[in-house]
Every structure is written in C-alpha cells, then in structure tokens.
Amino acid sequence: MNLPKSLAFFAARDKVEPLRNYVYRRGIHNYEAVSVNRKTGMARLSLIGAAKGIVITSQALFEFELCVRTEDPSEDGPKGDILIKGCTEITNIHETESFVKTGRLYGEKCGLDVKFAVLQNAVQATVDVEILRAPVCGFDLKAYAKTSGFTDVIRLFEGAAKAGRRLSSVVAVGRRSHLDLCIRGSSVDSDPSQNLLYEQWECRFDACYHGTVSEEVHFFFILRQFQ
C-alpha cells in the first residue's frame, strides 16, 4: 500500500540562530512517494542534509507540516490536503547525561513520531561524501552513522549515485565520544537471476573541536550467479 505523494517540511529553531533549520523539506515538484508498513501502519520520511545541530540552552522549537499531494489540482485550487500541522517546544532539559528520546506529535488525521538525541558538550561533525568514480549506470549507495555510543542508526543517504555526486550531512557528537560511519554500495542491475553482492566500509572517528579526516574508499562490485 502506498501513501499518496506528499508535500511537507519539518524544521527546528534555536535561540542561537533562530532561522528555520530544515530536517525534512519537499516541494510540489519534488514530492516523495512513501510506503506504509502494513503491520504497523507507519511510514518513514527521508531526511535531508545538511541540517545543523540545534543548541538547547533553554528551549528549541519544532515546526512541521505534512500534506498529501492532490492529483491534477486546478490552478486556483489547493495543492494538497493537510495531514498534520503545528509546532511544539522542548524546554528545560537539565539532564547530566546524553540520551535518545522518541516523542509523538498529534494532528487531526495522523500522528508524527520524532526520535532525537540530546548530547551533552557536543561538537558538530560534517560528513562529506564525493563519488570520484562509478559505473556509467551508477550504483546503489547507503550511508549510515551512529553517534556518541548510541545504537540508533542515523540514515544519511539511500539511493542511486553516479560519479561527480557529492553528499553532505551533519551529525552531532559528544566531545569525549566517537562517530561511527558505514558506507555500503552495490552495483545497479535489474536481472533477477543474479544475486547482487555489496561492498561495505566502516570507520570510527573520535570527536574533537577542529580537524579534518579524509578517507578514499574503493569498492569492487562483483556479480555472482548461483546455479
């Protein structure tokens, strides 16, 4: 079952830089078709990069709006039906230890679950991935991160990638902790008679105030056919 194509944004603000920091944003010509899990009734939205970390000194504001795209809307008519819209605050967080929390935002037609991490004494890490070489048809790329010792996986990117493409993401990391990165790639092939193998690269980076680490990763894609 597919959810109708959606228009939406999810943004956060802090007092340090009170402009909208978009975590998710889709326009009428850049909609996303998402699938609903039959068992849970839930759908997952693809985040965008590079969203910056939010500084929580006293409060942070979350704004959200999710719409269903109207098929062939008239010029004067609405572009979509609103599923959920509103804002909420996180205030007075005085925990001494970092933690991960899930909260639910309620609307008239649906709910929106949001998982976020609050990290004490954190720094901001920018993850840049540039595709130097790739097959003409490209390849399937997945990039994930784990931060500050938590097991929760942060999905940085999933999709097709070709040579020359550059991806940028931002992840907050506790000062005395580390950032785990995992990049997985597999060749693009639609032949169902072949089993696609993937190459995977993992690395751990210690948090620091300033510095740049550069790694060049080589993937060799092999198609193996089983009799």
Side-chain angles (χ1 to χ4, degrees), residues 108-191:
E108 293 183 0
K109 299 180 180 179
C110 73
L112 181 64
D113 288 338
V114 180
K115 179 181 285 189
F116 58 91
V118 177
L119 305 178
Q120 303 294 331
N121 298 318
V123 295
Q124 182 172 289
T126 301
V127 180
D128 289 322
V129 178
E130 183 178 2
I131 312 301
L132 301 178
R133 295 174 297 275
V136 176
C137 61
F139 63 97
D140 290 328
L141 179 68
K142 296 179 174 63
Y144 304 103
K146 294 181 181 179
T147 182
S148 309
F150 291 104
T151 59
D152 301 83
V153 175
I154 304 170
R155 183 176 59 177
L156 304 181
F157 179 81
E158 278 190 5
K162 293 187 177 183
R165 182 163 187 177
R166 187 164 186 168
L167 315 169
S168 185
S169 304
V170 167
V171 182
V173 189
R175 277 182 54 198
R176 295 179 178 84
S177 189
H178 51 265
L179 174 67
D180 292 319
L181 290 181
C182 175
I183 297 177
R184 176 181 293 186
S186 61
S187 54
V188 176
D189 195 300
S190 58
D191 187 352

